[in-house]
Amino acid sequence: QVQLVESGGGLVQKGGSLKLSCATSGRTKSYVVMGWFRQAPGKERESVCAINLSGDTTYCAAFVQGRFAISVDNANNILYLQMNSLKPEDTAVYYCAASDRIDGYDYWGQGTQVTVSS
């Protein structure tokens, strides 16, 4: 059974940093794409960053470029999201996701709360 488990969320002050982790288990075959999403109260879920595991190509949304970075530890099957210069508007539940295709995500974690105080 595939499992994605996020960790590393918490409360941080404006301008601070957090590093989220997503541990994967349940299969040995590599995914094609992995990504981070977030959903703030009353808002739709939005894509934050993604990584194509076949070529290590990364993408991050404009609102986090220069502040967030996605990476993967292939040996240990862990996805990371380094978040720097956090803003109150980054407050949300952050989810990791994985896929065997490039046009959608098949597997999701349960989410981890990130709260940025002003």
Side-chain angles (χ1 to χ4, degrees), residues 62-112:
F63 53 79
V64 300
Q65 282 185 5
R67 300 189 298 124
F68 291 12
I70 187 171
S71 62
V72 63
D73 178 346
N74 289 307
N76 295 297
N77 300 317
I78 301 174
L79 181 71
Y80 296 104
L81 183 68
Q82 178 66 49
M83 306 187 295
N84 300 323
S85 302
L86 282 161
K87 305 175 181 180
E89 50 264 44
D90 294 319
T91 295
V93 178
Y94 284 71
Y95 300 89
C96 72
S99 181
D100 294 321
R101 52 198 172 97
I102 61 173
D103 60 348
Y105 286 88
D106 304 303
Y107 309 103
W108 294 85
Q110 82 291 345
T112 185

